[in-house]
Amino acid sequence: MAGRNEIRTLCRRIKDSPLRHAASAAAFSALCFLFPLQSAPAAEEPSPAERYERTLEQIRSLLREACGKAGVPFERLGYTSKDLSVQRDEFRLETFDALISDPMIFKITCDSWGAGLRNSVRDPVSAFDALARANEAGFFNLGASDEPNPADPLSFCIEQDRRMHGIAGRDFSPEMEGTAREAFSGLPSDFRAALGRCLEAMVRSAVIMKAALSAAGIEKAEPFIYRRETDWYDEKEGTFRQPLYEFCRALDMNSVLFAGRTAVRGATKFYAFLKEKYSSPEAQAQVRPFRLETPLGRIVVAGPGKDAHEKGRYFLLVDLGGDDSYGSGAGGADFGQYASLCADLGGADAYAAAKDDPPSFGAGVCGIGMLFDVSGNDAYEAHSEAQGHAYYGTGILMDEAGDDRYTVTSGGQGFAGFGAAALLDASGNDVYTCFHLSQGAGATRGVGALVDGSGNDVYAARDDEIVLPSAQSAQHNSSLSQGCGVGRRADMADGHSVSGGIGILVDASGDDKYSGGVMAQAHGYWYGTGVLIDYEGNDEYKAAWYGQSTSAHFGLSYMRDAKGDDKYVSLISQNLGNGRDFSVSVFEDDEGNDSYTVVDRGAGCGNVNGVGLFLDLAGDDAYEIRSRESMGIAILEAAQSFFRRETPTIGLFVDAAGKDSYTCSKAEFALPDMTNGSAWVRTKNRYEFSAGWDRE
């Protein structure tokens, strides 16, 4: 049975874990995507499960031996509940403690998230399920056994309009019914039936969302949300936004996520129907375009021509093709609207939203926003709350084909807080541009993901213009992007520190380029988890500070590049597996002849009670070393603190194979033992454990 040995291995690991119940949830939920059902491979070829298990065993063996060289037990590569007891808050994901306690379980779980999202890049329902599972949704995803099959599709569509009026507390007059009847009558019968089922799913999700928001006290929190004041503490006024805090505490995430899944499932089925039945000019000619106003946003069906859809509130917008333009609001749900879907069947489209515009293009604020685009070289541009964004809700953007350009300033391209969001781009040479908190980012109780299926892509967290100078360097932006989970640190502000969420960036194939400022390319901050996985291609990574799997202050990060001759560059400090202050960071490159620029506290560095692990498993690699404080080193920096001495600081560098070269930018950075096939240990005191090892 594929995966049987791996399950046994996990059982052994979990049995010995002090967090065995949470670890079980994390690890076994991982297996569903790592080992999908498939036909048995040829006898002489190992199955995917067997190959993966061999890699796990290889890594486990390497880390055990590296730990032996450093003089630290392998079981100490993580943090227990006791270690983390100094900080507790009610918003932390329960599996976080399990993941930070065991890097192997953390790796398995991250690989599962990556595999699940990669396999779901054309399936929004499966992608959403992966996000909801990571966000610890407490419901079981069953099939659509309750899907309606109306005997009278026209009356069924009109009934959904009536229900939308009821949700908004509006009367549904005979004149309104007549207008709805005329609009829906212009559709072919099968189109009308499919539309009715989609509307019913979205209305059902709106009912669930409204109930969840009302129960949590949205009425008192609404003024803050309306002004987008999502921080609980108003630094300018020196006041605490208690109603907003109470709303976040009371919000039932199960209801929020279940409402999201209900809408995404219904919208995805309708979108699949449109592609199958109404992609041809002959079928599209049978459709009479219409526009119907409802209190939850207008319903629009447009033909295959070149249409201009103005800014506004849309509950459902279908465009059958053509080079179209979209204003803000398309595929965006704001509070009081609850749900929105935009489906475009083709063309080179322009999606543009300005600053302070409503959520757009697959964005939900107190609601569920969805946008599905079949093909075309499209341009998406917005300031924020767009391109896969969720705050107290769900946001999904799926673009299946074309060389697309995505531009956002902040809070987009797969960003979520108190919800789930994804940008799914299946194919094409795409360009993703942002400044801050985008490209797979998760805030408190949020899981955000950017998933790209194929193409030579560019991921830029812009650092050429300084708009959000970082605390580390005013000459560089605070990126918090490209797989970043970020929490709220308030131990020096108002005392309400809050755990972060999960940010994931997955690229399946292509020669890609990644660039960022500070905190980019897999970064975890304050109980946040950042993940970046690139499966194939000759890729380039560049960051200024905190790049390529780093974490700070109780964070987790995982970066893996599976194949290709890759180039890694950092400009200032901390890269390639740096864990700082009770954090764990894992960097892994599986194959290829790679080049690394290693800076201060880089390439397997534990810093101030952190754990940093660097693993290069194969290839002839070149290391340019720009600091002696790197290449498998532990730096406590606080030996005088009894609290700090209680927990080890660990830094491990491992290059498993290949003919590698080590050069130093300055002679004083060199270590005599740092050569191919050697090991070096630089432990300074009994609280620091470090080792570098080039195995062959």
Side-chain angles (χ1 to χ4, degrees), residues 19 57 68 83 136 138 141-142 180 248 293 302 348 356 521 543 572 583:
L19 300 162
E57 290 302 326
D83 296 328
E136 299 178 356
N141 297 326
L142 299 173
C248 292
E293 299 290 343
D356 298 325
Q521 297 152 28
I572 304 174
S583 299

Side-chain angles (χ1 to χ4, degrees), residues 16-90:
D16 298 330
S17 171
L19 300 162
R20 64 183 64 180
H21 299 299
S24 298
F28 282 107
S29 68
L31 295 173
C32 62
F33 282 128
L34 285 175
F35 310 128
L37 293 176
Q38 55 189 311
S39 58
E44 65 275 9
E45 296 181 2
S47 70
E50 290 169 336
R51 288 197 299 270
Y52 186 74
E53 182 179 4
R54 290 177 185 178
T55 301
L56 287 180
E57 290 302 326
Q58 178 191 14
I59 291 173
R60 186 177 289 112
S61 177
L62 289 168
L63 288 177
R64 280 190 182 278
E65 189 160 352
C67 283
K69 295 179 184 298
V72 64
F74 172 70
E75 291 73 17
R76 204 63 182 92
L77 288 180
Y79 297 104
T80 66
S81 296
K82 179 182 177 182
D83 296 328
L84 302 177
S85 62
V86 293
Q87 295 285 347
R88 303 300 307 177
D89 70 83
E90 58 200 303

Side-chain angles (χ1 to χ4, degrees), residues 339-356:
S340 177
L341 167 65
C342 175
D344 186 286
L345 296 193
D349 306 308
Y351 299 87
K355 187 176 181 180
D356 298 325

